[in-house]
mmCIF file of all heavy atoms in Angstrom:
data_model
loop_
_atom_site.group_PDB
_atom_site.id
_atom_site.type_symbol
_atom_site.label_atom_id
_atom_site.label_comp_id
_atom_site.label_asym_id
_atom_site.label_seq_id
_atom_site.Cartn_x
_atom_site.Cartn_y
_atom_site.Cartn_z
ATOM 1 N N ARG A 525 3.344 6.983 6.825
ATOM 2 C CA ARG A 525 2.564 8.175 6.565
ATOM 3 C C ARG A 525 2.983 8.826 5.238
ATOM 4 O O ARG A 525 2.223 9.525 4.624
ATOM 5 C CB ARG A 525 2.764 9.273 7.659
ATOM 6 C CG ARG A 525 1.982 8.875 8.956
ATOM 7 C CD ARG A 525 1.904 10.118 9.888
ATOM 8 N NE ARG A 525 3.164 10.530 10.338
ATOM 9 C CZ ARG A 525 3.753 10.160 11.419
ATOM 10 N NH1 ARG A 525 3.099 9.318 12.263
ATOM 11 N NH2 ARG A 525 4.905 10.577 11.812
ATOM 12 N N SER A 526 4.155 8.523 4.779
ATOM 13 C CA SER A 526 4.627 9.025 3.446
ATOM 14 C C SER A 526 4.285 8.073 2.342
ATOM 15 O O SER A 526 4.778 8.230 1.200
ATOM 16 C CB SER A 526 6.159 9.212 3.525
ATOM 17 O OG SER A 526 6.553 10.257 4.489
ATOM 18 N N GLY A 527 3.513 7.009 2.612
ATOM 19 C CA GLY A 527 3.043 6.162 1.578
ATOM 20 C C GLY A 527 3.874 4.875 1.430
ATOM 21 O O GLY A 527 3.637 4.119 0.449
ATOM 22 N N VAL A 528 4.718 4.638 2.323
ATOM 23 C CA VAL A 528 5.576 3.358 2.269
ATOM 24 C C VAL A 528 4.780 2.239 2.921
ATOM 25 O O VAL A 528 4.576 2.227 4.159
ATOM 26 C CB VAL A 528 6.851 3.552 2.937
ATOM 27 C CG1 VAL A 528 7.756 2.221 2.878
ATOM 28 C CG2 VAL A 528 7.651 4.714 2.291
ATOM 29 N N SER A 529 4.279 1.296 2.141
ATOM 30 C CA SER A 529 3.531 0.179 2.705
ATOM 31 C C SER A 529 4.467 -0.719 3.543
ATOM 32 O O SER A 529 5.514 -1.123 3.119
ATOM 33 C CB SER A 529 2.939 -0.627 1.577
ATOM 34 O OG SER A 529 2.215 -1.714 2.053
ATOM 35 N N THR A 530 4.030 -0.973 4.806
ATOM 36 C CA THR A 530 4.989 -1.574 5.807
ATOM 37 C C THR A 530 4.450 -2.855 6.296
ATOM 38 O O THR A 530 3.187 -2.945 6.578
ATOM 39 C CB THR A 530 5.217 -0.614 6.951
ATOM 40 O OG1 THR A 530 5.714 0.671 6.427
ATOM 41 C CG2 THR A 530 6.183 -1.174 7.926
ATOM 42 N N LEU A 531 5.280 -3.873 6.443
ATOM 43 C CA LEU A 531 4.917 -5.174 7.082
ATOM 44 C C LEU A 531 5.794 -5.334 8.342
ATOM 45 O O LEU A 531 7.004 -5.287 8.318
ATOM 46 C CB LEU A 531 5.230 -6.293 6.131
ATOM 47 C CG LEU A 531 4.924 -7.703 6.614
ATOM 48 C CD1 LEU A 531 3.446 -7.979 6.856
ATOM 49 C CD2 LEU A 531 5.475 -8.781 5.632
ATOM 50 N N TRP A 532 5.024 -5.576 9.491
ATOM 51 C CA TRP A 532 5.708 -5.655 10.826
ATOM 52 C C TRP A 532 5.695 -7.113 11.157
ATOM 53 O O TRP A 532 4.646 -7.738 11.254
ATOM 54 C CB TRP A 532 5.050 -4.827 11.852
ATOM 55 C CG TRP A 532 5.761 -3.721 12.340
ATOM 56 C CD1 TRP A 532 5.786 -2.396 11.858
ATOM 57 C CD2 TRP A 532 6.724 -3.720 13.401
ATOM 58 N NE1 TRP A 532 6.603 -1.704 12.511
ATOM 59 C CE2 TRP A 532 7.253 -2.373 13.460
ATOM 60 C CE3 TRP A 532 7.193 -4.679 14.256
ATOM 61 C CZ2 TRP A 532 8.216 -2.016 14.430
ATOM 62 C CZ3 TRP A 532 8.150 -4.295 15.201
ATOM 63 C CH2 TRP A 532 8.651 -3.008 15.312
ATOM 64 N N GLY A 533 6.862 -7.653 11.493
ATOM 65 C CA GLY A 533 7.053 -8.998 12.085
ATOM 66 C C GLY A 533 7.530 -8.898 13.472
ATOM 67 O O GLY A 533 8.754 -8.758 13.659
ATOM 68 N N SER A 534 6.633 -8.942 14.441
ATOM 69 C CA SER A 534 7.027 -8.786 15.863
ATOM 70 C C SER A 534 7.069 -10.195 16.480
ATOM 71 O O SER A 534 5.995 -10.789 16.722
ATOM 72 C CB SER A 534 6.102 -7.874 16.572
ATOM 73 O OG SER A 534 6.408 -7.803 17.933
ATOM 74 N N PHE A 535 8.256 -10.774 16.709
ATOM 75 C CA PHE A 535 8.429 -12.118 17.220
ATOM 76 C C PHE A 535 8.570 -12.039 18.734
ATOM 77 O O PHE A 535 8.616 -13.067 19.374
ATOM 78 C CB PHE A 535 9.521 -12.756 16.626
ATOM 79 C CG PHE A 535 9.379 -13.003 15.119
ATOM 80 C CD1 PHE A 535 9.728 -11.980 14.247
ATOM 81 C CD2 PHE A 535 8.737 -14.173 14.597
ATOM 82 C CE1 PHE A 535 9.583 -12.227 12.817
ATOM 83 C CE2 PHE A 535 8.620 -14.372 13.278
ATOM 84 C CZ PHE A 535 9.042 -13.346 12.333
ATOM 85 N N GLU A 536 8.663 -10.779 19.262
ATOM 86 C CA GLU A 536 8.924 -10.625 20.714
ATOM 87 C C GLU A 536 7.680 -10.077 21.425
ATOM 88 O O GLU A 536 7.346 -10.569 22.509
ATOM 89 C CB GLU A 536 10.109 -9.728 20.962
ATOM 90 C CG GLU A 536 10.420 -9.513 22.377
ATOM 91 C CD GLU A 536 11.714 -8.653 22.588
ATOM 92 O OE1 GLU A 536 12.243 -8.259 21.513
ATOM 93 O OE2 GLU A 536 12.189 -8.473 23.764
ATOM 94 N N ILE A 537 7.018 -9.103 20.827
ATOM 95 C CA ILE A 537 5.884 -8.395 21.523
ATOM 96 C C ILE A 537 4.605 -8.864 20.719
ATOM 97 O O ILE A 537 4.643 -8.834 19.501
ATOM 98 C CB ILE A 537 6.054 -6.890 21.435
ATOM 99 C CG1 ILE A 537 7.332 -6.487 22.127
ATOM 100 C CG2 ILE A 537 4.861 -6.185 22.023
ATOM 101 C CD1 ILE A 537 7.642 -4.980 22.075
ATOM 102 N N PRO A 538 3.568 -9.211 21.382
ATOM 103 C CA PRO A 538 2.301 -9.558 20.729
ATOM 104 C C PRO A 538 1.762 -8.421 19.820
ATOM 105 O O PRO A 538 1.906 -7.254 20.157
ATOM 106 C CB PRO A 538 1.322 -9.912 21.832
ATOM 107 C CG PRO A 538 2.208 -10.209 23.019
ATOM 108 C CD PRO A 538 3.448 -9.386 22.861
ATOM 109 N N ASN A 539 1.175 -8.745 18.744
ATOM 110 C CA ASN A 539 0.685 -7.771 17.820
ATOM 111 C C ASN A 539 -0.337 -6.712 18.443
ATOM 112 O O ASN A 539 -0.241 -5.520 18.096
ATOM 113 C CB ASN A 539 0.034 -8.432 16.612
ATOM 114 C CG ASN A 539 1.073 -9.026 15.640
ATOM 115 O OD1 ASN A 539 2.166 -8.557 15.564
ATOM 116 N ND2 ASN A 539 0.706 -10.021 14.867
ATOM 117 N N VAL A 540 -1.186 -7.203 19.279
ATOM 118 C CA VAL A 540 -2.101 -6.326 19.889
ATOM 119 C C VAL A 540 -1.428 -5.263 20.699
ATOM 120 O O VAL A 540 -1.747 -4.073 20.635
ATOM 121 C CB VAL A 540 -3.098 -7.077 20.797
ATOM 122 C CG1 VAL A 540 -4.032 -6.185 21.554
ATOM 123 C CG2 VAL A 540 -3.893 -8.104 19.950
#
Side-chain angles (χ1 to χ4, degrees):
R525 285 195 297 265
S526 298
V528 178
S529 182
T530 303
L531 177 68
W532 249 92
S534 179
F535 297 86
E536 182 177 2
I537 301 176
N539 283 334
V540 174

